[in-house]
Amino acid sequence: MSKAMSKSKVERPTKPDEEMETSDDDYIDPKMEKYFKDTKDKIQEKLSLNGKQNKKVIKQEDEDDDFEDISDFEEEEEEDDDEEEMDEGESSEEEAEENSDGDKNEEGEEIDVDERKKLTLKTINNWSRKLAEGKPIKIVNEVAKALKSALLNVIPNRKADSSYRVDGSEMFNAVIRLCIRDFFPCLLRILNLGSVKSDADKKLKLASSGENWKKLKIPVRSYLDDMLALAFNLNEPEVLNAILRHIRLLINFYLCFPKTLKLLIKLLIQIWSQNDEKSRLIAFVCLHKIVANTHEKNQNFIFKNLYLSFARNSKFTSINTLPLINFMQRSLIEIYALNPKMAYEHVFVFIRQLGIHLRNAMNLKKKESYQAVYNWQFVHSLVLWSKLLSAQVKTSQGVDEYLHQLIYPLTQIIIGTIKLIPTPRYYPLRFHCVNALITLSNSTDVFIPIIPFILEVFDITDFNKKHATISVKQLNFSFMLKLNKQQLQDKAFKDVLIDIIYDSLILYLQHQSCDIAFPELVLPLIIRIKEFLKKCKNTSYCKVMKGLLDKIQENCKFIEDRRNKATFNLKDKKQVDFWTEKTKEAGTPLINWYSRYKTLREREILMEISNKDYISQNNVPLIERPSNEQREEERKEFGELFVNLEDDSDTESLDFVPKKKTEQEEVSEIESEDQFSDAGQEEEDEDQDSE
């Protein structure tokens, strides 16, 4: 029965042809006639289409039925042929799918077949040998292409045409090593530049002045852009430092491409203000080299962006960030010194901005306006410009007239900052400003009345008032702008305040100690210190100020003795300056004392830092408890001491009940109590007699 069924199923494909010979009415539904009223031709076309579709449907059904019959009757030849055809179809489909999967990536997106040439170590070694010999311009082009290809694997989302395929980190490192080691000397040899610097004006020789520059311009520009892209995407400091050193050698090439040079300047400024210490230093050297050899337009751009990046990265000050801020200040001063005229223009604008902030704070008297002045950015800017003027106004070439004009406005801004909120809470900010004035006055030989701002502390602060707390941690005004209430009530506050007053006065007076009018200059200071010594009851504070007073009076006597021997007229300025120089060479008591005090003070600071490092390096001690075996051994050894102790507990079995006393011990205690009572009565009687 099943065989008959299968045969009928096999013979089915012949039926559709017979059914197609039937009339049209068998296929047309009466309900569908309204859709086919146009022409008879359209109806026939529609019928022919339906017939083809029916053929396809019937064939698919027969194939499915044949597949079922094949699974049941493998002995028949026709079914075997159909099975082979189906297997061939499936295998061809699987091969097509595999080929299609090979042309697609993991995300299902189609990609092109990689036809680039694979780069090998043998090729790189061959290039290295050729770069060291002769003038291989073609090899230079190939190395530039190889570098571009290598960066495709490192830099994400980088689109560039590459002719090589660099696989693996080993090949990438080999390409970078080839560029850093052999590329630059080969360029100098091809361009016939010899040394990078010219002998006449000690400026860099531009690469565009070389012999074969036109042939190398395109690959060199591609190479410079790729080096910049690599430096932008590096995170490891050691690798970045190696790339920056290589870029420093290529600066005469960067100067030939203004757009690329501007990108390089932005990168160097970013590294100079944010990265590792060594990277900052190399970036500064590169910027210094660019400023010394470029035109004023690039200098203007560098001067402006250097100060802005300095201001952005000086918002917070701590023991870790202060050395970096000081480095930025020193490097800014050196770069600004390369063009004093342009430096004057920038410093004038920035000092004016500081003055506008101070004026708004004095007029508005609001919290926001005060915060615009009393912050680290404002203070560090004042310190920066005071250091710059003190370093560049007076040089070996003479006095710079342009920068000398900025001393007065900067001094007025610093004094206005001190007077804005003259309270003990802002003593750290006050002494930051005082130190800026001292450096400015001592370096430029311009007299600034600084002593009143130091003596004002004695009037505001009561040193006789008892402190509320005593803390082990010392205050350091170098990393502070203001104090809180707890710090103002602490003993460390007054201790640090006396030390800072002493340091500031001796730093200022040791420079003025050679002046012919020193006794008259320090007269108000001597009177104020004597008043402080009479009022203050703290012996340690009095001892410090008494020592300073003795040194000042000793220096006054020294100057008066030398003045008595002088025969020139005080109106003769040249003779007065000559006398001051001779006095400075001879050495005053304050100068000699300051040199010794400075060494001692630096030693104390180093000791404090070393102790902090020692404490931070040592680990917190751990409590090592003895094990049970050690306890048992100790109990066996000292068994008599642990008679009442059990093994499980240490204190539960201890007997704290007092023992019964003997009769002799009770009698001795009663006698001792009687003696103490008699002695107390005798003392009371003596007190009454005295009254």
Side-chain angles (χ1 to χ4, degrees):
M1 190 70 182
S2 61
K3 289 182 179 180
M5 292 288 290
S6 64
K7 288 180 180 180
S8 63
K9 290 180 181 178
V10 172
E11 293 175 356
R12 269 184 193 174
T14 58
K15 291 180 181 181
D17 295 331
E18 296 175 359
E19 291 177 359
M20 290 299 294
E21 294 177 0
T22 58
S23 62
D24 295 339
D25 297 332
D26 295 334
Y27 289 95
I28 298 173
D29 190 0
K31 296 181 180 179
M32 299 295 292
E33 289 182 0
K34 58 182 178 181
Y35 298 103
F36 304 104
K37 289 180 180 181
D38 297 336
T39 58
K40 189 175 181 180
D41 296 334
K42 289 183 180 180
I43 296 171
Q44 291 177 354
E45 289 177 2
K46 187 68 178 176
L47 292 174
S48 63
L49 290 173
N50 290 334
K52 291 179 181 179
Q53 290 178 358
N54 291 333
K55 282 183 180 181
K56 291 181 181 179
V57 171
I58 292 169
K59 284 182 180 180
Q60 287 180 358
E61 291 178 354
D62 293 337
E63 288 175 359
D64 295 338
D65 294 336
D66 292 339
F67 184 76
E68 293 176 356
D69 295 335
I70 287 167
S71 61
D72 295 332
F73 307 99
E74 296 178 353
E75 296 177 358
E76 297 182 3
E77 295 179 358
E78 295 178 357
E79 296 174 10
D80 293 340
D81 295 337
D82 293 336
E83 185 178 5
E84 290 176 1
E85 290 177 0
M86 291 179 67
D87 292 337
E88 290 176 0
E90 289 177 359
S91 62
S92 62
E93 289 177 0
E94 289 176 359
E95 290 177 359
E97 288 177 0
E98 289 178 358
N99 293 329
S100 63
D101 292 336
D103 295 336
K104 293 182 180 181
N105 57 8
E106 296 178 355
E107 297 177 357
E109 296 176 358
E110 294 184 359
I111 57 173
D112 298 332
V113 179
D114 195 354
E115 297 179 353
R116 296 177 297 173
K117 184 179 179 181
K118 186 178 181 180
L119 194 63
T120 60
L121 289 174
K122 184 178 180 180
T123 306
I124 292 176
N125 294 330
N126 188 20
W127 287 349
S128 178
R129 188 177 66 256
K130 290 182 180 180
L131 287 174
E133 301 172 356
K135 299 180 179 181
I137 298 176
K138 292 183 179 179
I139 303 300
V140 170
N141 291 327
E142 297 301 322
V143 172
K145 293 178 182 178
L147 178 62
K148 189 179 290 294
S149 302
L151 295 184
L152 292 176
N153 300 329
V154 178
I155 302 174
N157 300 325
R158 180 177 173 83
K159 296 180 180 180
D161 297 333
S162 60
S163 56
Y164 292 98
R165 188 175 78 250
V166 180
D167 297 334
S169 60
E170 185 179 358
M171 290 302 305
F172 176 80
N173 293 333
V175 172
I176 300 300
R177 195 182 301 112
L178 174 68
C179 295
I180 294 175
R181 185 182 59 191
D182 301 329
F183 195 78
F184 177 71
C186 182
L187 290 179
L188 294 180
R189 197 185 320 112
I190 294 173
L191 295 172
N192 198 14
L193 290 177
S195 61
V196 179
K197 288 187 177 181
S198 60
D199 298 331
D201 51 359
K202 294 183 179 180
K203 286 190 174 183
L204 291 176
K205 291 180 181 178
L206 294 179
S208 57
S209 61
E211 293 180 355
N212 300 311
W213 173 246
K214 292 183 179 179
K215 297 179 181 179
L216 292 177
K217 186 176 180 180
I218 295 175
V220 165
R221 183 168 188 173
S222 174
Y223 179 81
L224 297 178
D225 291 338
D226 293 336
M227 274 294 164
L228 268 183
L230 179 62
F232 265 112
N233 291 274
L234 284 175
N235 294 324
E236 296 181 2
E238 294 180 359
V239 182
L240 178 62
N241 294 342
I243 299 299
L244 288 176
R245 292 190 188 97
H246 183 59
I247 289 174
R248 181 176 62 85
L249 299 175
L250 297 170
I251 284 177
N252 58 333
F253 291 88
Y254 278 103
L255 292 172
C256 301
F257 304 102
K259 293 183 179 180
T260 310
L261 179 63
K262 199 166 185 179
L263 294 175
L264 174 63
I265 291 170
K266 291 180 179 179
L267 172 65
L268 293 175
I269 291 174
Q270 180 182 355
I271 296 171
W272 171 80
S273 61
Q274 295 178 3
N275 281 56
D276 185 60
E277 186 176 355
K278 290 183 180 179
S279 303
R280 285 169 179 254
L281 185 59
I282 301 172
F284 161 69
V285 173
C286 295
L287 287 170
H288 191 279
K289 199 172 182 181
I290 293 172
V291 173
N293 295 278
T294 189
H295 50 79
E296 291 186 353
K297 186 177 180 180
N298 288 331
Q299 289 178 352
N300 190 9
F301 179 77
I302 292 172
F303 283 11
K304 180 180 178 181
N305 286 276
L306 277 177
Y307 174 71
L308 294 177
S309 61
F310 164 76
R312 281 193 295 267
N313 291 279
S314 61
K315 291 181 179 180
F316 307 101
T317 303
S318 64
I319 193 171
N320 297 322
T321 59
L322 187 60
L324 302 177
I325 293 171
N326 291 332
F327 166 75
M328 287 192 287
Q329 289 176 348
R330 292 194 300 270
S331 56
L332 263 172
I333 292 168
E334 291 189 18
I335 290 178
Y336 275 49
L338 296 174
N339 193 344
K341 291 184 179 179
M342 185 173 289
Y344 166 78
E345 297 175 0
H346 285 270
V347 175
F348 176 83
V349 172
F350 296 137
I351 289 177
R352 183 174 177 274
Q353 289 179 351
L354 298 176
I356 291 170
H357 286 297
L358 179 62
R359 184 188 63 187
N360 293 334
M362 296 174 69
N363 293 335
L364 298 176
K365 295 181 180 180
K366 293 182 179 180
K367 184 178 180 180
E368 295 177 356
S369 59
Y370 287 149
Q371 289 177 351
V373 176
Y374 277 27
N375 58 69
W376 276 117
Q377 288 178 315
F378 194 91
V379 173
H380 283 310
S381 298
L382 292 177
V383 174
L384 169 65
W385 301 132
S386 63
K387 288 181 179 179
L388 186 141
L389 294 180
S390 61
Q392 297 185 16
V393 167
K394 217 178 168 185
T395 59
S396 58
Q397 299 176 357
V399 178
D400 192 337
E401 296 180 356
Y402 294 100
L403 293 175
H404 192 274
Q405 298 174 4
L406 299 176
I407 295 175
Y408 178 75
L410 180 61
T411 304
Q412 293 298 317
I413 292 172
I414 296 174
I415 293 173
T417 305
I418 295 172
K419 293 181 177 180
L420 186 62
I421 306 177
T423 57
R425 187 181 182 187
Y426 290 99
Y427 275 168
L429 187 142
R430 172 187 287 265
F431 283 102
H432 284 305
C433 295
V434 166
N435 290 331
L437 291 175
I438 290 171
T439 55
L440 188 61
S441 177
N442 292 350
S443 301
T444 59
D445 291 335
V446 175
F447 175 73
I448 301 173
I450 303 172
I451 294 176
F453 304 112
I454 302 173
L455 294 179
E456 192 177 1
V457 176
F458 291 124
D459 299 330
I460 299 172
T461 308
D462 185 7
F463 287 90
N464 292 324
K465 187 178 179 180
K466 292 184 179 181
H467 48 268
T469 58
I470 298 175
S471 62
V472 179
K473 188 177 180 181
Q474 295 182 353
L475 296 177
N476 193 345
F477 283 8
S478 301
F479 315 116
M480 303 171 69
L481 281 182
K482 60 183 179 180
L483 302 167
N484 54 32
K485 292 182 180 179
Q486 294 179 354
Q487 291 171 341
L488 290 173
Q489 295 175 358
D490 195 83
K491 182 179 180 295
F493 164 66
K494 294 178 183 177
D495 295 342
V496 173
L497 195 59
I498 287 291
D499 292 339
I500 291 176
I501 291 171
Y502 185 89
D503 293 343
S504 301
L505 285 174
I506 198 170
L507 178 62
Y508 177 68
L509 294 176
Q510 61 89 20
H511 185 78
Q512 302 292 335
S513 63
C514 305
D515 197 275
I516 198 169
F518 181 79
E520 290 76 18
L521 175 66
V522 298
L523 182 60
L525 177 61
I526 293 172
I527 295 171
R528 189 66 188 85
I529 292 176
K530 288 181 179 179
E531 291 178 358
F532 173 78
L533 294 174
K534 289 179 181 179
K535 294 179 181 179
C536 184
K537 297 178 181 179
N538 193 320
T539 56
S540 60
Y541 301 159
C542 293
K543 185 178 179 181
V544 174
M545 300 309 297
K546 183 69 169 60
L548 179 62
L549 179 62
D550 294 340
K551 296 299 177 183
I552 293 172
Q553 290 177 345
E554 184 181 354
N555 198 89
C556 289
K557 290 180 181 179
F558 177 79
I559 296 296
E560 287 174 355
D561 292 340
R562 288 185 65 87
R563 281 197 310 191
N564 293 331
K565 297 176 183 179
T567 57
F568 57 86
N569 191 0
L570 293 176
K571 294 181 180 180
D572 192 354
K573 189 178 179 181
K574 291 183 179 179
Q575 290 293 331
V576 171
D577 293 339
F578 180 75
W579 183 89
T580 304
E581 291 178 1
K582 289 293 182 181
T583 305
K584 191 174 183 179
E585 292 176 0
T588 61
L590 271 176
I591 291 176
N592 297 330
W593 165 246
Y594 178 74
S595 61
R596 294 194 298 271
Y597 173 76
K598 187 178 180 181
T599 55
L600 293 172
R601 187 65 175 165
E602 289 176 353
R603 191 179 301 171
E604 288 179 2
I605 294 170
L606 291 174
M607 287 294 291
E608 290 179 0
I609 295 171
S610 62
N611 289 331
K612 288 179 181 178
D613 294 340
Y614 176 75
I615 292 168
S616 62
Q617 289 175 2
N618 291 334
N619 295 324
V620 178
L622 300 175
I623 299 174
E624 296 181 357
R625 299 185 181 277
S627 61
N628 294 329
E629 296 178 357
Q630 292 177 352
R631 287 178 180 176
E632 291 178 358
E633 291 177 358
E634 289 176 354
R635 287 174 181 176
K636 290 178 181 179
E637 186 177 357
F638 306 101
E640 296 179 357
L641 299 176
F642 300 96
V643 175
N644 296 325
L645 295 179
E646 296 179 357
D647 294 337
D648 296 334
S649 63
D650 293 337
T651 58
E652 291 179 357
S653 60
L654 283 173
D655 188 9
F656 292 103
V657 179
K659 296 180 180 180
K660 293 182 179 181
K661 298 179 181 179
T662 60
E663 295 179 357
Q664 294 179 356
E665 291 176 351
E666 291 178 355
V667 171
S668 62
E669 285 183 358
I670 292 168
E671 289 178 355
S672 62
E673 290 177 358
D674 293 339
Q675 289 176 0
F676 285 118
S677 62
D678 294 339
Q681 288 179 358
E682 289 176 358
E683 290 178 358
E684 291 178 358
D685 294 338
E686 289 177 359
D687 294 336
Q688 290 177 359
D689 294 337
S690 62
E691 291 177 355

